[in-house]
Amino acid sequence: MALKAFNELVQVDVRPLCDYRDAKDENGKPVKVPYLSWAKCAKLLHENGAENVWYAPRVCPQTQSYLWPQHTVTTSKGRVTQCWFVSVEVHIDDMCFTYDMPLLNGSLVVYEDTLNQLRINNALARAFVKGVAVRTGLGFDLWAEGDSDEGADDLSRHSIYAIRERIERLMTTK
C-alpha cells in the first residue's frame, strides 16, 4: 500500500493525538499550543500507507554542526546572537526531501549560551513534523490555522516616534 495523497492526509484529524505546550500569543497572553510529536507523526504515516519513515539531521558545512547560522542580530538590549536554523532530511518510502526551520524557544530569542542538545533535538523533531505536514498534508492544519493575518494591529504597542519617522519618510518620498 502506498502513502495516501495530500488531499486525503490533510483530512486526517491529528488534534486528538496532540500534546499541548505553554506559549504566549502576539500580545504576551499565555496560550496552549497543540503539537504533534515526531513519533505520533511517524506512526500516522505508517497507518496511512508508508512503509519506511525516518529523518536525520543535516550537518551545516560552515559550522560542522546541526546548527545553521543565518544572520547575526543585535537585540534591543545590545546582546549579539545568531538567528539559528536546523535542517532535516526526511525519508518516506521513495520520497526524500529536506526541511529547514528556525531554532525557536517560544517567543524568546535563542542565544549561543542557552543552546543545548535538548533544544536542538526538539527543533529537529519539529522540523520533521512540519516538513511532513507541508509535503504530505498530514497535520497541515496545525500550522494553517495559526498563520492568518487578519490585518488587526494593536496600535498600543507602536512607538509614537516610530510612527512619526514612518510618516516623515512617506512624506519625503511623495
Side-chain angles (χ1 to χ4, degrees):
M1 176 164 80
L3 183 66
K4 292 180 182 174
F6 185 98
N7 61 353
E8 291 179 73
L9 289 175
V10 79
Q11 301 298 321
V12 175
D13 184 11
V14 301
R15 287 211 182 255
L17 300 171
C18 286
D19 294 313
Y20 289 84
R21 66 175 177 82
D22 294 324
K24 292 184 180 180
D25 67 11
E26 306 82 38
N27 299 318
K29 185 178 175 184
V31 293
K32 297 278 187 189
V33 178
Y35 71 92
L36 184 64
S37 75
W38 70 267
K40 290 176 184 172
C41 179
K43 184 177 179 189
L44 283 169
L45 287 168
H46 285 289
E47 290 172 359
N48 284 279
E51 293 289 325
N52 225 340
V53 177
W54 58 279
Y55 72 98
R58 293 180 56 222
V59 174
C60 175
Q62 298 97 319
T63 63
Q64 293 300 307
S65 77
Y66 299 137
L67 296 172
W68 298 67
Q70 297 297 313
H71 184 65
T72 301
V73 294
T74 304
T75 67
S76 60
K77 295 181 180 179
R79 194 165 177 193
V80 177
T81 190
Q82 294 282 335
C83 290
W84 296 104
F85 276 69
V86 295
S87 183
V88 293
E89 184 174 278
V90 178
H91 295 264
I92 306 169
D93 296 333
D94 294 336
M95 187 184 339
C96 176
F97 58 93
T98 61
Y99 195 82
D100 302 342
M101 191 162 173
L103 188 77
L104 303 171
N105 183 19
S107 61
L108 304 175
V109 174
V110 176
Y111 297 101
E112 284 87 348
D113 60 352
T114 65
L115 290 172
N116 60 47
Q117 291 172 332
L118 179 61
R119 185 167 285 164
I120 294 166
N121 187 61
N122 288 345
L124 292 167
R126 282 194 304 272
F128 165 69
V129 174
K130 190 167 184 182
V132 166
V134 168
R135 191 65 176 255
T136 71
L138 183 65
F140 189 84
D141 287 340
L142 291 176
W143 287 275
E145 293 173 6
D147 286 347
S148 65
D149 182 8
E150 296 163 9
D153 204 358
D154 182 2
L155 297 178
S156 68
R157 296 181 63 187
H158 289 257
S159 159
I160 191 69
Y161 300 108
I163 293 170
R164 180 179 165 195
E165 183 180 333
R166 283 187 222 128
I167 290 172
E168 287 174 354
R169 284 184 192 170
L170 181 61
M171 290 173 55
T172 303
T173 304
K174 296 213 182 245

